[in-house]
Amino acid sequence: QVQLVESGGGSVQAGGSLRLSCVASESISSFYRMGWFRQTPGTPRELVARITSSGTTNYANSVKGRFAISRDNVKNTVYLQMNSLKPEDTAVYYCHAYSYVADYWGQGTQVTVSS
């Protein structure tokens, strides 16, 4: 069973930055795509950003120009650099890994942005 462990969440004021990390228990090169999702109470989990094994990235419109996803295949880690944070970015952020036969989720890390 693949394990994904997120870290880097916390509380920050609007305009601040955080960097989330997601460490996988096995080589992330085996996953076609990895990404970050977020969820607030009572709402569906939504895509924030994702990156394929070839490095192609996609972002939600709400975070374009502010967030950047990257991956380090040597460290088996995916990062989400979040800049110019807004109160509406407050959510639990989840790491996701997708192969063609299965997908996996981390336990989530809380990000709180105060105005």
Side-chain angles (χ1 to χ4, degrees):
Q1 179 72 13
V2 175
Q3 292 188 333
L4 303 174
V5 180
E6 302 104 331
S7 62
S11 297
V12 64
Q13 289 191 327
S17 298
L18 286 173
R19 188 176 81 155
L20 305 184
S21 299
C22 171
V23 180
S25 60
E26 67 178 60
S27 173
I28 64 172
S29 299
S30 65
F31 300 113
Y32 169 68
R33 189 170 63 220
M34 297 194 70
W36 290 93
F37 288 71
R38 66 186 181 188
Q39 188 172 27
T40 55
T43 66
R45 196 169 293 187
E46 65 172 3
L47 174 68
V48 176
R50 60 189 181 188
I51 184 168
T52 68
S53 56
S54 63
T56 300
T57 58
N58 295 99
Y59 295 93
N61 287 334
S62 59
V63 307
K64 282 181 180 177
R66 300 188 298 122
F67 290 12
I69 189 170
S70 61
R71 59 193 291 164
D72 185 331
N73 290 345
V74 174
K75 296 182 178 180
N76 292 328
T77 302
V78 176
Y79 303 98
L80 184 68
Q81 178 66 44
M82 305 186 295
N83 300 326
S84 302
L85 282 161
K86 304 176 181 180
E88 51 264 44
D89 294 319
T90 295
V92 178
Y93 284 70
Y94 296 90
C95 180
H96 177 253
Y98 170 74
S99 69
Y100 290 105
V101 295
D103 61 345
Y104 305 93
W105 293 93
Q107 82 288 349
T109 185
Q110 176 71 46
V111 171
T112 302
V113 184
S114 58
S115 56

